Amino acid sequence: MADSSEASRNKCAACFRQFNKMEHLVDHMRTSYHSSHEPTCGICKKHCRSFESLREHLIGPLPKQECKNIFSVRGCKFCLTILDSPNARRFHQDRCQFFVGNGLAGRFSNIGLRENLTIDDGVIRGNQVVALACKMVGGGSDGSLDLCARVCIIDENENIIFHSYVKPLIPVTNYRYESTGIRAEYLRDAMPVRQVQRKIQDFLCNGEAMWRIQPRNSGRARILVGHGLDHVLDRLQLEYPSIMIRDTAKYPPLMKTSKLSNSLRYLTQAYLGYEIQTEIQDPYEDCVATMRLYKRMRSQSHRREENPLASDPQNRNNFATWRQNELERMSPEEMLAISRSDYYCWCLDS
C-alpha cells in the first residue's frame, strides 16, 4: 500500500481522485480528458464532467460540506458561480435569472406566419447563429409516428425569422391538441414539408456548399441551435454538418451525471430560472430557451489554448503510450496542463 505522501503525489489535479501508483494516474489522465473547459467548483477548484455533477458537489444529497456552506451564502443557483459577498450574489442572481414577463408572452400571441428566411441587421460578424424548434403531431395507425407540423426559427436577439405550419407527407391521425394546439384546419393549406425543408436547408447553408462548411467562424453557413436536433432534422428530412450544430440535449456540460440528456424544460428551469411547456407548447418558446442556454454556455470565460481539442493533430501524442515513462515523471499539475477536452466547448464560438 502506498504511503500518504505517495498517494498525495498520485492525486489527480482536476477531479482529486487518488491512485496507488503513478501509472494508474497516467491511465486516468489518458482517458478523462480533463481541461479548462470542464465545469469547475469556484471554491475547491474540482473539475466536474457536467454542471449536473457540479450541482451535486455543491448542493446535492452528499455535497462537499465546506463548498456547500460557502455556496449557500455566495453561490448563484443558476450559473453556479461563486460571488464575493451575499450582496454581490443578490445583484448577480437578479441579472442571471431570465424572466418571461409580458414581452415574451406578447410575442407568442403575435407570431403570425413568416415564409421568408432572411437575417438583415446590417452587422457582419462570424457565423450567424439561429435556433430551430418544431412541434410534432402523430401519424400512423396508432398516432405514435412523429410528423413535423409547425416550425420556428429565431435569431440571436430572439427575433422570429421564420414561422410556418407544415403539411406532412402522410395523413395525421393524432393532432395532440392538448400539447400542440394544432387543429386540422391549420394544416389544410400549410406549406408542404418538402418546401419547408428546401427553404431551411438553403437558409442554413447561406450560399455555401455543404462539403465546404468548416467550423470556428470561417464561412457563411449558420450555426444551428436546438434541443434534440437529430430527431428534428430527421423529421424535416434535413441534412446539416454536425460541426455547425449546437444541441442542448447532447452538450456534455448540460447532460446528466449518468451521461443521459436532460429535458429542455428542466434545463430552462435549472439554468435560466423560469418554466416552459406548462400548457400548449409553442416552438418559439423552445427556440428562445435553447438560444439562451447556448449564449450562457458560449459566454463562459475559459483559458485560451492554441489547440483546445484532444482531437487536434498537435495533441495526438500528449498521452501516447510510448511517453509512459516521461508522463510518470510529471507532476499531476503538469499532466493537467497538457490534457485537452474531448468535446467542442461553445466558448470557442465567441
Side-chain angles (χ1 to χ4, degrees):
M1 186 74 176
D3 59 29
S4 58
S5 61
E6 181 70 12
S8 177
R9 192 179 99 78
N10 301 340
K11 180 180 179 181
C12 176
C15 66
F16 303 156
R17 283 186 62 186
Q18 292 190 349
F19 300 88
N20 291 333
K21 295 182 179 180
M22 192 63 176
E23 64 187 87
H24 298 157
L25 174 57
V26 172
D27 289 340
H28 165 75
M29 294 302 294
R30 188 173 282 133
T31 59
S32 62
Y33 301 103
H34 289 310
S35 76
S36 60
H37 298 289
E38 291 178 308
T40 305
C41 176
I43 303 162
C44 70
K45 307 305 178 185
K46 178 182 178 180
H47 289 233
C48 297
R49 192 58 179 170
S50 67
F51 281 103
E52 198 75 4
S53 298
L54 178 57
R55 192 180 293 276
E56 290 175 5
H57 169 79
L58 293 168
I59 55 178
L62 294 172
K64 183 176 180 182
Q65 199 60 46
E66 178 186 354
C67 296
K68 177 186 177 182
N69 293 341
I70 296 174
F71 184 82
S72 65
V73 177
R74 296 195 281 120
C76 173
K77 65 181 180 180
F78 303 118
C79 67
L80 306 183
T81 301
I82 307 299
L83 286 304
D84 294 332
S85 67
N87 283 338
R89 181 183 81 152
R90 281 192 290 273
F91 178 74
H92 165 88
Q93 202 157 272
D94 284 344
R95 299 178 63 186
C96 196
Q97 180 178 9
F98 285 86
F99 295 95
V100 177
N102 293 329
L104 201 56
R107 290 197 196 187
F108 293 158
S109 62
N110 293 296
I111 281 182
L113 298 182
R114 306 202 178 184
E115 298 186 354
N116 293 321
L117 276 166
T118 58
I119 292 181
D120 184 15
D121 58 7
V123 179
I124 298 174
R125 60 182 186 282
N127 295 103
Q128 290 169 325
V129 182
V130 297
L132 165 70
C134 295
K135 288 303 165 188
M136 309 286 182
V137 292
S141 59
D142 61 354
S144 63
L145 180 64
D146 284 343
L147 305 173
C148 178
R150 190 178 177 191
V151 62
C152 183
I153 300 177
I154 67 168
D155 65 16
E156 283 193 68
N157 298 316
E158 302 175 9
N159 298 311
I160 299 160
I161 302 168
F162 179 69
H163 170 243
S164 178
Y165 288 104
V166 181
K167 188 173 184 178
L169 289 174
I170 65 175
V172 177
T173 54
N174 183 357
Y175 286 90
R176 305 174 184 173
Y177 177 79
E178 293 77 11
S179 62
T180 67
I182 295 174
R183 299 182 186 276
E185 56 266 30
Y186 299 168
L187 305 186
R188 191 169 295 127
D189 298 316
M191 190 181 297
V193 67
R194 298 284 193 200
Q195 186 178 349
V196 172
Q197 180 263 330
R198 285 194 301 271
K199 279 179 172 285
I200 296 176
Q201 186 99 61
D202 292 345
F203 173 73
L204 293 177
C205 292
N206 196 22
E208 194 167 1
M210 188 87 72
W211 61 271
R212 294 188 61 183
I213 294 175
Q214 298 292 327
R216 305 192 195 179
N217 305 313
S218 59
R220 297 193 305 272
R222 296 180 167 101
I223 292 173
L224 178 62
V225 176
H227 189 84
L229 281 172
D230 284 349
H231 186 57
V232 171
L233 295 179
D234 177 69
R235 295 297 85 194
L236 285 170
Q237 302 175 37
L238 265 168
E239 292 184 5
Y240 202 56
S242 59
I243 54 174
M244 299 302 290
I245 290 175
R246 309 291 182 260
D247 193 334
T248 54
K250 296 172 65 176
Y251 188 51
L254 291 177
M255 296 179 77
K256 297 179 181 179
T257 307
S258 61
K259 299 184 180 179
L260 297 174
S261 299
N262 277 302
S263 68
L264 180 58
R265 183 177 182 180
Y266 169 79
L267 292 175
T268 304
Q269 184 177 31
Y271 299 103
L272 302 178
Y274 68 94
E275 292 190 357
I276 63 170
Q277 301 175 351
T278 54
E279 296 177 355
I280 288 180
Q281 299 175 17
D282 195 298
Y284 175 72
E285 183 181 45
D286 292 355
C287 283
V288 170
T290 54
M291 182 62 80
R292 289 175 175 179
L293 286 165
Y294 167 74
K295 291 169 73 173
R296 173 150 290 178
M297 295 296 105
R298 186 182 65 181
S299 67
Q300 293 178 97
S301 179
H302 296 150
R303 186 179 74 248
R304 290 294 171 180
E305 298 163 328
E306 190 171 338
N307 305 297
L309 299 175
S311 57
D312 288 340
Q314 295 85 345
N315 299 320
R316 184 180 296 120
N317 294 322
N318 281 9
F319 286 94
T321 52
W322 57 263
R323 292 186 65 188
Q324 184 73 20
N325 291 337
E326 179 187 354
L327 292 167
E328 289 183 19
R329 289 194 296 271
M330 288 184 181
S331 68
E333 290 74 21
E334 288 172 327
M335 279 194 284
L336 178 58
I338 65 171
S339 183
R340 294 292 183 268
S341 176
D342 63 340
Y343 65 88
Y344 183 90
C345 182
W346 292 346
C347 78
L348 299 175
D349 288 340
S350 60

